[in-house]
Amino acid sequence: MWKSERQGMVDQAKGKVKQAVGTLTSDDDLKAEGEVDETVGKVESAVGRMGRNTDDAIASAGKAVKR
C-alpha cells in the first residue's frame, strides 16, 4: 500500500468525524470542512491505487519480457 493510499484513508476518516461533530454541534463550517477532507482523502487513495497498479503492471511486463 502506498503512502498516499494510507493518507487518503486517514483523511477520509478525519472528514467523517468532522462531519459528525459538525452535525451534532450544528456547525455548518466544520461539516463542510469534513466533506472537503473526505473528498480529498478519496482522491489521494485513488491516486495511490493508480500508482500501485502502474508499478504492478510494469513489474509484470518486465517479468514477461525476461521469459
Side-chain angles (χ1 to χ4, degrees):
M1 180 177 292
W2 278 35
K3 182 180 177 181
S4 57
E5 283 181 277
R6 282 191 305 273
Q7 185 60 45
M9 289 183 205
V10 169
D11 285 344
Q12 286 180 53
K14 181 174 62 171
K16 288 179 183 181
V17 169
K18 284 183 180 181
Q19 288 177 60
V21 171
T23 299
L24 289 172
T25 61
S26 298
D27 186 343
D28 291 334
D29 290 337
L30 185 58
K31 188 175 176 184
E33 187 178 327
E35 291 170 354
V36 170
D37 285 346
E38 186 176 2
T39 302
V40 167
K42 287 178 182 179
V43 171
E44 282 178 320
S45 291
V47 168
R49 277 192 308 275
M50 286 186 340
R52 183 172 39 91
N53 291 341
T54 301
D55 281 353
D56 292 346
I58 290 170
S60 295
K63 289 177 184 176
V65 169
K66 288 181 183 179
R67 291 182 190 167

